[in-house]
Amino acid sequence: MGAGLVNAACAYVRPIPDAPLAADSTHAAPLTQRWLARVNQGFLGPMLLRNDTLIGAGYDRRVVAVELSRGSKVWELRLNGGASAGVVGTGDTIFSASDRPDGSVQAMRRASGAVVWRRRHTGRIALPLLLTDSLVIAAPSTGSVLALDRANGDRRWTRRMAPLVAPAQLGAPGELVALTSDSIYRLSLADGKVIAAVPTSGSASASWVRADPLLVLAAGTGDVSAIRPGDLSIAWHLHVDGPVLVPPAVFGDTLWIVTQTGSIYRIPMQDPKVERFAEFADPVSAPPTPWRSWVLVGMADGTLRALGADGVEAWRVAVGRPLVETPIALPDGIIIVGGRGDIHRMVLR
């Protein structure tokens, strides 16, 4: 046990650089760091950018709001457990959930963090929440899908089933689509009843992604499938060179896939085919993000690498490792969220 404690304490010993790190002497990063904020121990799950405020949740049980002009903390709210589910929301109300000890779902005011309602003992929730017009859909890790009233948190229904391995998605009108380790389900939004279910072609290893009108699912076998949510049929199926552990990403009409072998694939959604874009010896830990003339790739070593249209590295910057969040584009630059609670506001030179 002593060795385990030492290892945990020393997991992140590399200092966070105060300035961008050039890829090499001839390809300096075209960015200047405006500010660096350290507001928690690391973010998990989706983050929200509303007006001039970035809101996220993380390891240390806190939801934190940071204003973008100076990087100062606006407010924070402590939860009753780790916040792996991140933050979702629209308008003036945002939502988050905790995954231990008993779990809770809470609605908060976006401007102040004041709690609107909180429902405890919902079960440990580590997957991001799904919002509909009237419901908050949560998936406790003990195995169920839970629907709460968006306005007051009252429980509408609970559907017992195997634990979900990815957040629920909206399906056909009035339906949800839920993914377990071996099956895909269509559920009624009105009462949670199972409408239909089909087995998956392989064990899901990464979160699926919506690519309207399809859902794209990647598996540990290297299988990538596009699913029609209305009847759960397969629109197309491809295979890549290794397990997919990083969530797929869709930008415009292009799907991006990262494999455990270090390959990055781009798949045109209009004419699906496997195209290897780049390959890394180091682990890739975040989905690729097209930005201006580059494709940005987050690495486990804490570097954000910019690739040109030919897949060749143009520049990089270093932040707290690992880098699991995709950069957030701003009119004058980007926000990079490192793996140690560090937020970097970078502006283009």
Side-chain angles (χ1 to χ4, degrees):
M1 179 175 290
L5 291 173
V6 171
N7 184 54
C10 299
Y12 298 114
V13 298
R14 187 174 69 85
I16 302 169
D18 291 324
L21 175 67
D24 56 53
S25 59
T26 60
H27 294 90
L31 301 169
T32 299
Q33 184 166 271
R34 176 172 292 179
W35 52 254
L36 165 61
R38 297 181 175 94
V39 296
N40 68 4
Q41 296 176 12
F43 291 94
L44 289 171
M47 303 178 74
L48 282 177
L49 178 61
R50 291 290 182 271
N51 300 324
D52 192 41
T53 305
L54 180 67
I55 306 170
Y59 297 104
D60 55 0
R61 306 185 176 200
R62 290 185 295 156
V63 181
V64 180
V66 178
E67 58 89 23
L68 296 186
S69 60
R70 294 174 298 173
S72 58
K73 185 166 59 178
V74 180
W75 56 261
E76 69 174 57
L77 174 68
R78 185 171 178 82
L79 306 181
N80 68 326
S84 322
V87 181
V88 297
T90 57
D92 295 330
T93 307
I94 61 176
F95 303 84
S96 189
S98 59
D99 62 4
R100 65 180 189 274
D102 296 314
S104 68
V105 178
Q106 44 273 317
M108 300 156 282
R109 295 297 180 201
R110 176 179 57 82
S112 64
V115 175
V116 178
W117 54 258
R118 176 177 287 150
R119 293 294 175 264
R120 296 182 181 273
H121 306 294
T122 55
R124 298 174 58 180
I125 298 171
L127 294 174
L129 304 170
L130 171 69
L131 299 183
T132 74
D133 290 340
S134 60
L135 299 175
V136 180
I137 306 296
S141 57
T142 50
S144 63
V145 178
L146 172 67
L148 303 177
D149 189 287
R150 184 164 169 168
N152 56 30
D154 290 348
R155 187 175 301 207
R156 293 278 192 87
W157 52 260
T158 301
R159 172 55 51 194
R160 301 292 180 186
M161 58 194 309
L164 301 196
V165 296
Q169 297 275 358
L170 290 175
E175 294 183 8
L176 289 175
V177 186
L179 175 67
T180 67
S181 61
D182 60 6
S183 300
I184 307 173
Y185 295 83
R186 291 168 53 203
L187 304 178
S188 167
L189 264 177
D191 54 18
K193 290 183 178 179
V194 176
I195 299 170
V198 298
T200 59
S201 59
S203 179
S205 56
S207 182
W208 50 6
V209 65
R210 179 170 291 278
D212 283 333
L214 305 172
L215 292 172
V216 177
L217 171 64
T221 55
D223 293 290
V224 180
S225 303
I227 300 160
R228 300 181 183 96
D231 60 7
L232 304 184
S233 62
I234 296 178
W236 52 260
H237 177 89
L238 297 172
H239 190 80
V240 291
D241 69 353
V244 181
L245 303 183
V246 174
V250 174
F251 292 91
D253 60 357
T254 303
L255 170 70
W256 295 85
I257 297 288
V258 175
T259 68
Q260 194 176 17
T261 63
S263 296
I264 296 178
Y265 292 92
R266 58 182 173 190
I267 298 174
M269 295 297 295
Q270 300 303 318
D271 181 23
K273 55 187 175 183
V274 172
E275 298 177 0
R276 183 185 277 111
F277 175 71
E279 192 169 4
F280 289 94
D282 301 320
V284 179
S285 53
T289 305
W291 180 62
R292 295 184 178 262
S293 61
W294 303 291
V295 175
L296 305 182
V297 181
M299 310 295 292
D301 64 2
T303 58
L304 179 71
R305 308 190 188 186
L307 310 182
D310 55 0
V312 176
E313 182 176 336
W315 50 265
R316 69 175 69 172
V317 295
V319 297
R321 64 180 179 184
L323 207 165
V324 297
E325 302 295 334
T326 56
I328 300 169
L330 300 174
D332 60 348
I334 53 176
I335 293 287
I336 306 174
V337 180
R340 298 182 59 195
D342 50 307
I343 305 174
H344 305 251
R345 172 84 186 264
M346 301 286 192
V347 295
L348 280 167
R349 294 199 191 103

